[in-house]
């Protein structure tokens, strides 16, 4: 049929291996904390709740233990005698992709919490006298892990390359499974470029239609305005100049399968109205014919745009937006799915090395750390491209940082330099601490270190003795044990 060029329409192809089975290991927890009493009581409490818990009191011991046994959950103290706990997070994740690391700390700071999450930690919690909140958190993770295992088992054959264990992707799969049961519901998939909207559409297609049913993808950007209706609905012979024979459109081609409107935000406003009518009536007719045909296919739309915003700007019809919003599914960006990064990286590594006939090992901690620090503005596609490139460059054996794209390595270095410097961290609670209170604490600290000698304290603070006296006055901190006045 004429005019098909540039319009992506095709049947479903299975081009990726299905997900790995969730492993049936017993649920084990590693508690890493140099406060032995705390570590032991936490481990005891976990065992009382039916889990298997081990303890490690130093970073070195923790790494050694995690090398011999795989722990789905690691509870990690922030300040260990031999290392910063947060720095260990990528090591645990590299040992076992999908491992849940929870960083425990004596008191919370926003900066270190952000840092912990960026390294791939699931959570950052404050240690209290009672171990109960931590135990509850672990039980929650265990229940989620069981749910994931069920999802893994249930749909292994139809996961269709929609991989991931992060809470975000588990929720997406749950929603897709739910809506799979009602094939007439229109589904809207939203998410940044490269997050896997098309993969999600394929999953839904597989989950809701008979095997062999077609998936027809309509690229709304590429739809040529003059032919669009004939492409979608087909036409009768003589319906317009040049229509020398009757032709079927995409709705007919999709049969009882799925029709995916990709980049729906780019659809021409005139066509938006026509699509709305088809969605509402679930009927269409060929151009030049009055015979109505039922829509047998599920209608799915995908976009990386903010449709609500487009409605406000007047480029997207409000009524179509409302119709599409009946069942929206948001696919979170990869940077919100920290746990999926290494899982996907390993999957792509296996995929591309199989294809190129290379033997390449799973990424070690150095590569894992770099991959985890990146923010993936291009999402899964960016990660996939990076791994493909790395597999091409790597001769075999161990994947090294130099095989990764420069941009990714550079970003990891910058964020490590920002977070890993040895300067003491400034801890403050936003909304409670103020610049004044911080200044006051610094002055107190300096006076303490200087044994109350003000000239020395001023030197430590980098101000003159006079300036220090002024500040002491301002804060009403004049002490009577003036040693050098
Ligand atoms: N969860 C996932 N598991 C495995 N592969 C994935 C996953 N998500 C995405 N991919 C892969 O990443 C690439 C991008 O995914 P996809 O084309 O579905 O993204 P998209 O959201 O449709 O992007 P765009 O907005 O640019 O169209 C594809 O090669 C796809 O196979
Ligand atoms: Mg897409």
């Amino acid at each position: 049929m004429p005019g098909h060029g540039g319009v992506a329409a095709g049947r479903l192809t299975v081009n990726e291996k299905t997900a790995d089975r969730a492993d049936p290991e017993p649920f084990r927890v590693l508690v890493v904390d140099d406060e032995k009493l705390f570590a032991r009581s936490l481990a005891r409490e976990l065992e009382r709740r039916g889990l298997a818990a081990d303890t490690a009191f130093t970073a070195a011991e923790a790494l050694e233990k995690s090398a011999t046994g795989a722990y789905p959950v690691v509870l990690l103290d922030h300040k260990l005698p031999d290392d910063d706990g947060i720095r260990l997070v990528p090591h645990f994740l590299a040992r076992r992709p999908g491992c849940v690391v929870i960083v425990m700390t004596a008191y919370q700071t926003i900066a270190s919490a952000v840092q912990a999450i960026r390294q791939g930690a699931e959570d950052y919690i404050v240690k209290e006298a009672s171990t109960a909140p931590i135990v509850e958190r672990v039980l929650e993770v265990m229940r989620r892990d069981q749910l994931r295992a069920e999802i893994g088992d249930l749909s292994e054959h139809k996961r269709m390359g929609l991989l991931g264990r992060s809470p975000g992707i588990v929720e997406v799969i749950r929603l897709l499974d739910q809506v799979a049961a009602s094939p007439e519901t229109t589904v809207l998939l939203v998410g940044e470029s490269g997050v896997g909207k098309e993969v999600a559409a394929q999953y839904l297609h597989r989950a809701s239609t008979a095997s062999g049913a077609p998936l027809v993808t309509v690229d709304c950007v590429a739809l040529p305005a003059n032919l669009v209706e004939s492409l979608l609905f087909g036409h009768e012979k003589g319906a317009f100049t040049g229509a020398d024979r009757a032709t079927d459109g995409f709705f007919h081609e999709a049969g009882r399968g799925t029709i995916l409107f990709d980049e729906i935000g780019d659809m021409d406003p005139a066509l938006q109205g026509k699509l709305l009518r088809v969605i509402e009536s679930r009927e269409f007719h060929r151009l030049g014919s009055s015979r109505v045909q039922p829509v047998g296919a599920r209608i799915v739309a995908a976009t990386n745009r903010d449709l609500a915003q487009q409605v406000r700007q007047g480029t997207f019809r409000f009524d179509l937006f409302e119709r599409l919003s009946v069942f929206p599914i948001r696919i979170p960006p990869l940077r919100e799915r920290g746990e999926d990064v290494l899982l996907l990286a390993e999957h792509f590594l296996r995929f591309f090395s199989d294809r190129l006939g290379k033997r390449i090992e799973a990424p070690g901690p150095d590569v894992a750390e770099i991959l985890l620090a990146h923010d993936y503005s291009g999402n899964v596609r960016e990660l996939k491209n990076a791994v493909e490139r790395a597999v091409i460059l790597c001769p075999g054996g161990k994947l090294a940082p130099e095989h990764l794209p420069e941009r990714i390595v550079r970003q990891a270095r910058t964020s490590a330099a920002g977070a890993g410097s040895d300067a003491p961290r400034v801890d403050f609670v936003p909304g409670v601490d103020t610049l004044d209170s911080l200044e006051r604490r610094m002055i107190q600290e300096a006076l303490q270190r200087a044994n109350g000698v003000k000239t020395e304290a001023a030197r430590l603070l980098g101000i003159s003795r006079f300036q220090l006296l002024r500040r002491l006055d301002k804060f009403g901190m004049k002490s009577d044990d003036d040693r050098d006045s």
Side-chain angles (χ1 to χ4, degrees), residues 127-157:
K127 282 195 271 186
E128 290 161 20
S130 155
T131 53
I134 303 180
V135 171
E136 263 322 302
R137 194 72 188 78
V138 174
L139 291 174
E140 204 180 289
V141 172
M142 185 180 75
R143 284 190 288 269
R144 199 180 68 205
D145 210 70
Q146 281 161 352
L147 178 74
R148 283 175 185 166
E150 274 164 34
I151 284 178
D153 280 351
L154 260 177
S155 49
E156 192 190 335
H157 65 285

Side-chain angles (χ1 to χ4, degrees), residues 52-66:
D54 288 337
T55 51
F57 306 128
T58 61
E61 197 187 343
L63 290 178
E64 199 182 299
K65 287 218 163 142
S66 78

Side-chain angles (χ1 to χ4, degrees), residues 20 23 32 52 54 56 103 166 171 200 208 222 255 274 297 330 336 339 348 358 363 417 428 444 446 449 462 477:
D20 293 333
D23 44 357
V32 189
D54 288 337
V103 175
S166 61
E171 175 63 8
S208 54
K274 294 191 174 113
R330 174 181 175 268
E336 286 174 23
E339 304 161 271
F348 295 138
K358 290 192 179 181
F428 72 96
Q444 266 162 359
R449 289 196 200 183
M477 288 169 76

